[in-house]
Amino acid sequence: MLDYETLKFIWWVLVGTLLIGFAITDGMDMGVGVLLPFLGKNDMDRRVIINTVGPHWDGNQVWLITAGGAIFAAWPAVYAASFSGFYMAMLLVLFALFFRPVGFDYRSKIEDPRWRNAWDWGLFVAGLVPALIFGVAFGNLLQGVPFHLDDMLRPHYQGTLLFALVPLLNPFALVAGLISLAMLALHGATWLQLRTERPLSERARAAALRLGPVITLLFALAGLWVAFGMDGYQIVSGPPHGALPDPLAKEVVLRHGAWLAIYHQIPKAMAVPALGLAMPLLTALLAAVRLPGLGFITSALGMTGIIGTAGLSMFPFIMPSSTDPNSSLTVWDATSSHLTLTVMFWAVVIFLPCVLTYTVWCYVRMWGKVTAQAIAANSHTAY
Amino acid sequence: MIDPTFVALSRTQFAATALYHFLFVPLTLGLSWILVIMESAYVMTGNTIYRDMTRFWGKLFGINFALGVTTGLTMEFEFGTNWAYYSHYVGDVFGAPLAIEGLMAFFLESTFIGLFFLGWERLSARQHLVVTFFTALGSNLSALWILVANGWMQHPVGSSFSPTTMRMEMNSFYDVLFNPVAQVKFVHTVAAGYVTASMFVLAISAYYMLKGRDMGFAKRSFAIAAGFGFAAALSVIVLGDESGYTLGDVQKDKLAAIEAEYDTAPAPAPFTIFGIPNDKTLTTEDAIRVPGVLGLIATRSLNGEVEGLKDLMKDHEARIRSGMIAYDALQHLRHGDHLQATEDAFNAHKADLGYGLLLKRYSDNVVDATPEQIDAAVHDSIPPVAPLFWGFRIMVGLGFLMLLLIGSSLFFSARHTIQNHRWLLRVLILCLPAPWLACEAGWLVAELGRQPWAIGGVLPTFLATSSLTTADLAFSLTGFIGFYTFLLVIEMFLMVRFAKMGPASLGTGRYHGETSRPVAAPAATALAD
C-alpha cells in the first residue's frame, strides 16, 4: 500500500489528469458547439459540424462526470465547498449542459428550420457557458473564495443568490474565462480542420489562425497579473502532510508572489507555463501550413500547459479562502481517508486504460472526413 | 438554527429531480437488453426485420436516453450544490462508488452508445451487436454502483466516524460493496426496469396490432417483450420479497412504517391490507389484517417478532440519550481534550452520535436538551407512515397487475392468437403508465422510508444541507421545474410522434405508410427524418 502523503499527491495529479482529459475530449465538443453558428452557413454545414463529434460527445462528457465524481471521492471537502459556494454558477453550467443531449439527439429528428435553428443555439450555449464558467472558476480559485469552515467543518459563504455571481465575474476571472473559452474553441477548430472538407475546413482554419495568438496574449496577460497584481497564499505552519486531514489545523497567510514560489523552488516547472504560452501559437502556425493532425496534439499540449499552470501555481492549495485563509482547502487536508484514496487509485489504474482503449477503438471506427453526401445518404440516422 | 422551510425546499428539489430522472432510467435499463435480444436474433438469422426492430426501438431508446443523461447530470451536481454537509460528512464512503460508476460503467455505456446510433454503416453486424451489448452492460453496471451508494445510505456498513476529520470514513470497501441492502436493491431495481421496458414495447406493439399495420414487426416485438418481461416480472416480485426480508433484518423502522405497525403484534405478525395510519395518535384506524402473513415474509418463521414503531421509538430514545454523551465527548475531543476518559466515553457511545444529532433541530448545543426536546426528537425518529403504507401497496398492486398482463401476453403470443384478443391489447395500452407509477412509488417507499436520516442512523437529513438560503432554493427549484417541464413536453412530443410513425421512421420503404408514396419524396423524408 502506498503511503498516505504519496497518495494525496498522486490524487492531485489524477484529478488534474481527469480535468485535462475533459478539456481534450469534451472541451473539443464544446469548442465545436461554440463555433457552430459562425462556421455553419446552412443546415447541411451545421449537420456536418455536429456529426464530427456526434458519435463521441456522450462518451467525452463522461470525463466531466468522472472528474466530478473523483473530486467527490478524493476531495469531499472541495466538492462540498466549491459546488455549493459557486451555487448560481454551477446551476448556470448545469442548465447550459442540459441542451447538449437533447440538442444532439433531437435536432435532426424534425426537418423544420425553426426547430433545427433553436437546437443549434442550444448547442452553442451548451458550449459557451461551461467553457467560460470553468475558466471563471479557476480565476476565482487563484484569487481565493469567500468561504469559511465552522467548528463542525460545515462550509459557509459570503453573499447569496445572484449577488454571489456578480463578484465571481471580476476582471481577472473574466480573463481566465476567456482563455478557457478561446482554448476550447481553438481545439474545436483544429478538430474541424481534420474532420471536414472545404469550404468548412477552411473556415475552421481561419478561426484557428485568429484564436491561437489571442490565447497566448491572454495567457501572458494573466501570468503578469498573477505575478505583479495579485497576492498568493502560503502555509506557514501545520501538521505533517501524511496526517489525518483537518483543514482547520494549519495557518495560512497571504503573501505577494506566493503563487510563483513553486517556480523558484523547481525552475524546471517553468516548462508548464511555457507550454501554455507556446503551444496555442504553434497550433495556429500548424493551421497556417495545413497540418491540423499535429495541431491537434499541440492544442492538447497547450491546454495541458494552461490547466497545469493554474494547478501548479496554487500547489498545494486547491481552494484558498479569502475571508478566512486558515479554512483554505489543500492537497494535504481536503482529501479522503487513506483507504478510500487507495481503493480509488486502483480503480483508476484498472479502468482508465480500458476506457482509453475502447475510446480509441471507437474513434478509429468512425474516422474519416464527414461529408455532406454521407449525411444525405443516411439522413434518418445521422444527427 | 435550522430553517424548516429551507430544509423542505432542499428535500423537495432533490426528490423532484430524482423522481424525474427515474422516469427515464428504468426504460434505459430494460430496453437496452431488449435491443440486445433483437439484434442477436438479427445476427443469428440474418433476417433484416430484426435489424429494423433494433433500429426502430433504438430510436425510441435514444429519445428517452437523451433525457436520462440530461437529468442524470443534475444528480451528480446536486450532492455538492445542495447537500454540501452531506458531501463533506460521507463523501469518503459515498463518493467512491459514484466515481467508480463513472470510470467502470458510465464511460462504457456512453462511449458505445454513439456507435450504436451512428455506427450502423461503419461496423459489421457482429461488431454492432457487441457495441449494443456493451451499452446495455454499461447502463446496468451504472445502476449497480448507484445502488451500492444508495444501499450505504440505507444501511451504512463498513465505515466509522472519525473525530479528527469530523466525518464518516470507510474501513472496509468489501463491506460497502457487498452490503446486503445494496445487493437486493440492485436486482430488484434493474428487474423493475426490465418490466418497464417490456410494458413499453408491448403497449406500442399492441397499438400497431390494433391498427392492423406492420403485423410481422409488431408480433415479433411483442413476443420478445412478453418473454423477457415475464421473467422480469417474476424476478421483481421474488426479489421484492427478498427486500422485505432484508428490511426486517436491518431497516426495522422502514418495515414497521410500511406495515403501519405502531404496536408490536404477537408473532407471527399479521399483514395489514387496508388501514388509515395516524402519526399523531400512533394508531392505524379501520385496519383489515390477515393473520400471520407479515411475520412469515419478514422473519420467514412463525415465532419471529416484527417490532412495532412504539417499541422502536423506545430504543431510539435510549440511543438519543446515549448520542448526547457522544456529542459532549466529541466537543471535548475537538477542543483539544485528549483525556483517556473522554476518548473512552466517545468510543462507548459513538455508534449513537447520529441519534444525538437529531436534537440539533431543537437545541444547537445538543447536550442541554430538555426532556420535551428529547421527546420531540424521538417523535421525529420514525418515517412518515401513511405515504409508505400506501406507496408500498400501490407498487405491489401494480406489480401483480403487470405480472398478470405480461403473463397473458406471453400465453397468447406463444399460441399465435394475440392479435385476436383485442381486449388485452387495449388494456396493455391503457396500462402503459403502470410501470412508471410503480417505479416512482418504489422510489418514494425506499427514500421516504429512510427518513429522518440522510444516512441511516448517522446523519439526519436536516443537517445534511448546504449553507444556502430559502431564496436560493426557491430560485433553483423554479428553474428546475420550468426547464424539466419544457424538456418533458418536447420528449413526449417526439416519443408519441415516432411511436405513431412506427418503423416507417427508418425510411426503408418496407413499412406502413411508406408504400403509398415514393420514399425519396420530400414530404416523406420530412416526416421520417
Side-chain angles (χ1 to χ4, degrees), chain A residues 58 65 69 79-80 87 98 101 106 109 111 151-152 154-155 161 245 335-337 340 358 365 367 379-381, chain B residues 55 59 63 65 70 74 76 80 82 84-85 92 108 118 122 165 167 334 463 465 467 472 476 491 528-529:
Chain A
D58 202 349
I65 291 166
Y79 177 77
Y87 192 63
F98 283 172
Y106 293 176
K109 284 201 155 49
E111 190 119 332
D151 195 38
M152 302 258 293
R154 175 190 288 272
L161 206 62
T335 49
S336 289
S337 64
T340 301
Y358 59 68
R365 299 301 323 180
W367 195 253
S379 195
H380 299 280
T381 6
Chain B
R55 293 182 75 152
K59 236 181 215 302
I63 295 170
F65 187 81
T70 305
T74 305
E76 161 151 87
N82 291 81
Y85 199 57
D92 193 66
L108 188 67
L118 302 169
R122 300 289 189 110
T165 56
R167 68 180 180 202
R334 286 198 58 80
L463 273 185
T465 58
S467 310
D472 291 329
S476 57
E491 197 256 8
D529 218 331

Side-chain angles (χ1 to χ4, degrees), chain B residues 247-469:
Chain B
L247 284 188
D249 224 18
V250 298
Q251 285 191 289
K252 295 180 177 183
D253 303 351
K254 188 191 268 184
L255 180 69
I258 285 172
E259 297 311 335
E261 197 186 55
Y262 291 104
D263 296 287
T264 307
F271 180 81
T272 311
I273 292 182
F274 179 87
I276 300 167
N278 186 332
D279 281 348
K280 289 223 168 60
T281 59
L282 299 180
T283 50
T284 303
E285 290 144 21
D286 306 322
I288 304 170
R289 298 193 166 96
V290 185
V293 175
L294 174 61
L296 282 175
I297 295 174
T299 68
R300 293 193 183 154
S301 72
L302 286 171
N303 47 19
E305 255 189 3
V306 179
E307 256 187 300
L309 288 167
K310 284 182 188 166
D311 284 335
L312 289 165
M313 284 161 83
K314 279 180 203 146
D315 295 346
H316 296 167
E317 182 176 348
R319 295 194 69 178
I320 287 172
R321 289 180 188 280
S322 159
M324 291 166 74
I325 302 172
Y327 187 85
D328 187 37
L330 174 64
Q331 293 307 313
H332 283 96
L333 288 176
R334 286 198 58 80
H335 290 105
D337 164 1
H338 290 291
L339 294 175
Q340 193 58 42
T342 318
E343 288 197 21
D344 289 347
F346 181 73
N347 287 327
H349 293 276
K350 81 171 178 182
D352 296 324
L353 177 65
Y355 282 86
L357 294 177
L358 280 177
L359 284 165
K360 277 251 171 199
R361 192 168 189 169
Y362 303 103
S363 157
D364 198 39
N365 204 14
V366 175
V367 287
D368 50 19
T370 63
E372 291 75 34
Q373 289 173 329
I374 294 176
D375 273 353
V378 170
H379 198 265
D380 292 345
S381 70
I382 55 164
V385 175
L388 287 181
F389 180 82
W390 288 114
F392 180 76
R393 274 150 190 76
I394 290 170
M395 174 183 78
V396 173
L398 289 171
F400 279 103
L401 170 72
M402 288 188 278
L403 177 66
L404 190 71
L405 284 175
I406 298 175
S408 323
S409 300
L410 181 63
F411 180 76
F412 294 121
S413 188
R415 298 182 60 165
H416 299 289
T417 59
I418 183 67
Q419 68 278 15
N420 305 330
H421 298 275
R422 300 180 71 83
W423 60 273
L424 178 60
L425 299 177
R426 286 201 191 92
V427 172
L428 279 169
I429 296 174
L430 277 179
C431 289
L432 183 55
W436 278 275
L437 285 175
C439 286
E440 301 280 293
W443 187 89
L444 279 171
V445 169
E447 307 311 322
L448 274 179
R450 176 169 43 80
Q451 301 305 324
W453 304 102
I455 302 292
V458 167
L459 180 68
T461 308
F462 65 82
L463 273 185
T465 58
S466 297
S467 310
L468 300 165
T469 64

Side-chain angles (χ1 to χ4, degrees), chain A residues 9 34 41 62 138 141 169 171 210 221 228 306 334 344 366 382:
Chain A
F9 177 72
V34 170
K41 305 288 184 202
V62 184
F138 267 98
L141 290 180
L169 300 173
R210 294 197 189 99
L221 171 69
F228 299 108
I306 290 170
M344 294 296 305
M366 302 306 291

